[in-house]
Amino acid sequence: MRVIVTGGAGFIGSALVRHLVLEQSYDVLTIDALTYAGNLASLRAVEGRAHHRFLHADIRDGAAMKAAIHDFRPDRIMHLAAESHVDRSITGAADFIMTNVVGTFTLLEAARDYWNGLADEAKAAFRFLHVSTDEVYGSLDENPEALFREDTPYDPSSPYSASKAASDHLAKAWHRTYGMPIVVSNCSNNYGPYHFPEKLIPLTILNALAGRELPVYGAGENIRDWLYVEDHARALDLIVERGVPGETYNVGGRNERRNIDVVHRICQVLDRLLPADRPREELIRFVTDRPGHDARYAIDATRLENELGWRAREDFDSGIEKTVQWYLDNAWWWQPLRDGYGGERLGLLEKTA
Ligand SMILES: NC(=O)c1ccc[n+]([C@@H]2O[C@H](COP(=O)([O-])OP(=O)(O)OC[C@H]3O[C@@H](n4cnc5c(N)ncnc54)[C@H](O)[C@@H]3O)[C@@H](O)[C@H]2O)c1
């Protein structure tokens, strides 16, 4: 099996590449532009493996994408490259439109050019997986019965989710118009090892370790449905293998938590694993809420569970324990990132929870 993974030096992409190379022994070409969020250190586990190649390229570069796809001759393309941080999309949406929308369009066209040239059997077997987020569905109220399903209407709130929604529509249109075998997945919030320390969970762990304030937006009441990243990687592998072209699969861990409860839990785990002078919960500070902050996300993963037989292996308590332990054991990975932020940009680490 020959697989191209775009965005494979990012958080979820690198978990997927590790899964495909180390667990499945597939031949993998990782394509990544190495933006601030891309990190070759996240691919150290597959470095030097005969099964893995890395290409430093931008998905907006049509000629480079065409050449890479024609040269590698993939059975599957798994598209994860994106600008992914909501706060950054609010202060600068342009990169989100260019990468998430124009980049996805460019990649789809390069893939279509290659796919058109395949023999009938290879053409039918080829798959393009477009990886997206549950944020395209907008926000839910607190009624526990209300969940995002595959047919929930799109209603994005932020420039990030609007750009992902646009890219989902492109992927689905390329299936309907050109018949390309494209599958879409929409996943809830991920957490786990190798997560860039601007997102809530790694930011809280690293700030708590350094004895810094732990910023929480608003009153911390926003609810997210947390999924351990390795469970997501297995789900993506299953969806591209067995998912029906033209269909969407929602991925979620059935682990809804309020942000404030996530931060408390991290403090408790850290206090147990590495006791400090005072409880780290005392570092929590509430900060002005993010504009357009969605109240609640929660995924109904019934289709993925019933039709494809997927189950999350980690619940939130086991996953967060593993995650905190990983950050304690792997300062070699996060220290250069945190220090690289230095001075003014370190302020970012204090504001973005
Ligand atoms: N993190 C989550 O909780 C979550 C949840 C659901 C879906 N997703 C989706 O999963 C995918 C991966 O998310 P992530 O959290 O790993 O993101 P990330 O920001 O950690 O990684 C994104 C990767 O894409 C690369 N990239 C960015 N622009 C590029 C370009 N123009 N060309 C080539 N490479 C480029 C970056 O260098 C980086 O390695 C995204 O599509 C995201 O929308 C994320």
Side-chain angles (χ1 to χ4, degrees):
M1 188 62 64
R2 301 176 65 74
V3 186
I4 287 182
V5 177
T6 71
F11 167 49
I12 301 170
S14 67
L16 177 64
V17 170
R18 289 190 297 275
H19 172 78
L20 297 178
V21 174
L22 302 177
E23 311 279 323
Q24 302 283 47
S25 298
Y26 290 167
D27 284 316
V28 175
L29 173 67
T30 299
I31 299 180
D32 199 294
L34 297 178
T35 68
Y36 81 93
N39 186 354
L40 284 177
S42 305
L43 291 171
R44 194 167 287 182
V46 298
E47 220 173 71
R49 296 263 170 168
H51 286 306
H52 183 251
R53 277 194 257 164
F54 178 80
L55 177 68
H56 185 196
D58 195 309
I59 58 163
R60 292 167 295 181
D61 181 342
M65 289 307 106
K66 254 192 193 177
I69 296 170
H70 280 274
D71 178 48
F72 188 73
R73 305 200 63 74
D75 303 297
R76 297 171 180 170
I77 296 177
M78 302 176 80
H79 173 39
L80 291 88
E83 289 292 338
S84 70
H85 190 40
V86 175
D87 286 346
R88 287 175 183 264
S89 81
I90 294 170
T91 52
D95 285 346
F96 289 72
I97 305 302
M98 294 313 294
T99 283
N100 299 0
V101 186
V102 179
T104 297
F105 157 73
T106 308
L107 186 70
L108 283 168
E109 281 295 80
R112 185 163 74 91
D113 186 70
Y114 163 73
W115 176 74
N116 269 332
L118 293 175
D120 286 350
E121 205 177 318
K123 212 169 172 181
F126 178 81
R127 290 288 181 276
F128 184 108
L129 174 67
H130 175 70
V131 177
S132 191
T133 165
D134 62 351
E135 301 195 26
V136 299
Y137 300 124
S139 186
L140 294 167
D141 60 28
E142 287 192 10
N143 168 13
E145 304 287 304
L147 297 170
F148 293 137
R149 301 197 164 81
E150 284 81 0
D151 59 0
T152 300
Y154 276 32
D155 187 21
S157 306
S158 70
Y160 163 65
S161 52
S163 69
K164 291 297 292 186
S167 65
D168 294 12
H169 290 316
L170 293 176
K172 287 175 192 176
W174 260 240
H175 167 72
R176 281 199 212 160
T177 303
Y178 304 112
M180 280 179 71
I182 297 174
V183 188
V184 175
S185 65
N186 294 86
C187 187
S188 59
N189 282 55
N190 282 217
Y191 69 101
Y194 303 95
H195 203 181
F196 191 79
E198 65 180 351
K199 307 270 171 85
L200 175 65
I201 287 180
L203 175 92
T204 300
I205 296 171
L206 296 193
N207 277 358
L209 270 177
R212 299 170 66 95
E213 289 188 354
L214 306 179
V216 176
Y217 274 142
E221 300 284 342
N222 304 67
I223 295 173
R224 299 293 178 258
D225 182 357
W226 293 97
L227 181 68
Y228 192 65
V229 67
E230 291 172 12
D231 280 325
H232 190 192
R234 283 190 305 105
L236 295 176
D237 190 18
L238 201 60
I239 293 168
V240 77
E241 169 90 29
R242 312 233 318 260
V244 177
E247 296 295 328
T248 291
Y249 296 83
N250 280 352
V251 190
R254 299 185 190 276
N255 277 298
E256 287 184 53
R257 292 285 186 287
R258 294 185 312 162
N259 284 348
I260 186 65
D261 297 330
V262 168
V263 174
H264 277 294
R265 186 87 196 109
I266 292 170
C267 290
Q268 290 155 8
V269 173
L270 258 182
D271 286 350
R272 179 163 43 77
L273 295 176
L274 191 71
D277 297 344
R278 56 192 181 119
R280 291 182 172 93
E281 288 168 334
E282 291 177 13
L283 298 168
I284 295 174
R285 294 288 176 275
F286 295 100
V287 299
T288 310
D289 209 352
R290 164 195 285 165
H293 203 176
D294 290 330
R296 174 173 169 253
Y297 304 141
I299 282 272
D300 180 352
T302 306
R303 177 176 215 182
L304 178 64
E305 293 164 350
N306 289 357
E307 291 181 21
L308 304 190
W310 175 86
R311 289 279 177 288
R313 288 184 185 156
E314 304 293 340
D315 63 18
F316 188 72
D317 285 337
S318 65
I320 203 68
E321 181 97 14
K322 279 189 173 180
T323 304
V324 171
Q325 188 66 57
W326 186 87
Y327 278 88
L328 288 175
D329 294 342
N330 290 282
W332 67 271
W333 182 84
W334 53 261
Q335 206 117 41
L337 296 175
R338 200 182 64 171
D339 299 347
Y341 262 63
E344 195 188 325
R345 291 191 74 195
L346 198 56
L348 193 95
L349 285 176
E350 292 180 285
K351 282 194 261 127
T352 52

